[in-house]
Amino acid sequence: MRDLATEFEAERGRLLAVARRMLGSRSEAEDAVQETWLRYAGALADPAARAEIRELSAWLTTTCARICLDVLRSARVRREAYPGQWLPEPEVRPLDSGPAPDGYAPDPAERAVRTDQVGTALLVVLERLAPEQRVALVLHDVFAVPFAGVADVLGTTEVAARQLASRARRAVTAPDAPRHSADPAEQRRVLEAFVAATESGELDPLLRVLAPDAVLLGDSGGHFPAARRPVVGADAVGRFTLGLFGRAGRYAHRVRSRPVLVDGVLGLQLETEHSDGRTIRLVTAFAVNQGRITGIFNQLNPEKLADLPPLGDDDTWPPHW
């Protein structure tokens, strides 16, 4: 069992990356990986059974993906009854924490190629897909699993697996999908301009930062007031944003904030007080493309923010870059 545990721990980071992109939920991903371990330990405890597995990584990926597929099918039903809009649990880290383990090979060239596969925008777009499409896209396009392996996970043919991935790819790259392609330097320039525009209280400066088809989504889980439908278009998003962040400027002494990495992309963590005395914690993720914001994703469901790093007394509004 000690050898099995050592082998599994070497794969845990990559399995978590697979499950997180499939499920959009860190807690569900951790549960899926734990279930993968239980099946692994149960099926391969016999040395003879373990010896028959030539590629452990592929076996674990297939097992984890099948578990995720079952979770996705049941999650679709649960999310249809979710109060308001649904956003994934954000993975929030300090700016100086460096890259998080993501399961990819450490080769710098490969990591650069996969940069556009990180961020809340991708997780949000993946929610549009049927479970089978999502599994096919993540396994093949993100983790380079051959279509034969994808077909094995889905219990279908290789041709059908290709078709599922192709349909998913079209959905992810659809014109109305929030696009994110900015490097960290561009993200910072755009977010600094965004904060300055909200501080001005004027709509025009904000419109210059927002893409014409920008979209804003907010997830409060029914705990706080939030838009129940996506806010679409630069003008509507701008006015909504001024109402939300403009209050931060007017009541700056009651707002704490700091820039953070949200799912690997520059974002904001804020904290203020609701009119009824409750503390509101907010994580805002952004999608940035060609110098403008294409997506704003506000997560304020306290059930999804339980593990946030605490803000300090120096984390004032506007945020310090």
Side-chain angles (χ1 to χ4, degrees):
M1 288 299 295
R2 187 182 302 113
D3 290 341
L4 289 178
T6 300
E7 288 182 331
F8 187 84
E9 287 305 314
E11 298 286 338
R12 180 181 290 274
R14 190 180 56 79
L15 293 174
L16 276 171
V18 170
R20 177 77 201 288
R21 284 158 179 78
M22 286 189 185
L23 302 176
S25 164
R26 184 175 64 252
S27 59
E28 288 181 344
E30 290 171 347
D31 288 345
V33 172
Q34 183 61 24
E35 178 62 23
T36 303
W37 156 250
L38 293 175
R39 295 191 188 183
Y40 166 65
L44 304 183
D46 181 356
R50 172 64 187 89
E52 293 179 2
I53 305 299
R54 289 178 294 179
E55 293 187 24
L56 178 62
S57 178
W59 190 95
L60 289 172
T61 299
T62 297
T63 301
C64 185
R66 286 173 176 158
I67 293 168
C68 289
L69 182 60
D70 290 340
V71 174
L72 281 172
R73 286 168 173 163
S74 62
R76 171 148 298 206
V77 176
R78 295 198 309 273
R79 287 172 190 170
E80 287 175 355
Y82 191 80
Q85 300 175 79
W86 185 94
L87 288 172
E89 301 167 41
E91 182 176 314
V92 180
R93 294 183 291 116
L95 293 184
D96 59 358
S97 62
D102 59 7
Y104 296 131
D107 177 70
E110 180 177 351
R111 188 171 294 276
V113 168
R114 300 196 188 277
T115 298
D116 65 342
Q117 303 294 342
V118 180
T120 306
L122 176 66
L123 295 175
V124 168
V125 174
L126 289 176
E127 282 298 309
R128 301 180 177 187
L129 306 179
E132 295 77 10
Q133 292 175 339
R134 185 165 182 166
V135 168
L137 181 73
V138 170
L139 285 180
H140 183 267
D141 286 27
V142 181
F143 292 93
V145 174
F147 278 118
V150 176
D152 184 42
V153 170
L154 298 176
T156 189
T157 66
E158 190 170 339
V159 171
R162 287 180 182 274
Q163 291 174 340
L164 287 167
S166 178
R167 293 191 192 106
R169 212 172 290 122
R170 287 197 297 271
V172 168
T173 58
D176 63 337
R179 301 165 304 286
H180 177 76
S181 62
D183 62 23
E186 183 180 0
Q187 292 171 39
R188 175 168 176 171
R189 288 194 302 270
V190 172
L191 263 63
E192 285 178 334
F194 170 83
V195 170
T198 61
E199 283 283 281
S200 75
E202 300 292 332
L203 182 61
D204 285 346
L206 196 52
L207 293 179
R208 289 194 287 271
V209 180
L210 296 171
D213 57 350
V215 61
L216 181 147
L217 294 91
D219 177 353
S220 74
H223 293 275
F224 298 102
R228 295 189 64 84
R229 301 188 181 200
V231 180
V232 180
D235 187 80
V237 171
R239 293 180 187 279
F240 189 95
T241 299
L242 286 178
L244 178 64
F245 285 94
R247 286 195 291 270
R250 292 196 297 273
Y251 304 106
H253 63 287
R254 292 165 47 186
V255 178
R256 292 191 292 172
S257 68
R258 71 176 169 199
V260 289
L261 293 175
V262 186
D263 298 316
V265 176
L266 189 61
L268 296 172
Q269 178 183 344
L270 301 98
E271 191 172 295
T272 188
E273 186 176 291
H274 191 263
S275 58
D276 63 9
R278 288 181 296 163
T279 297
I280 299 178
R281 305 168 85 192
L282 170 67
V283 169
T284 299
F286 297 86
V288 177
N289 183 63
Q290 296 182 350
R292 289 189 171 188
I293 293 171
T294 62
I296 301 176
F297 312 102
N298 293 322
Q299 180 58 263
L300 60 158
N301 183 347
E303 296 175 2
K304 297 183 181 182
L305 300 176
D307 297 328
L308 275 183
L311 293 175
D313 293 336
D314 294 334
D315 294 321
T316 57
W317 180 267
H320 304 300
W321 302 92

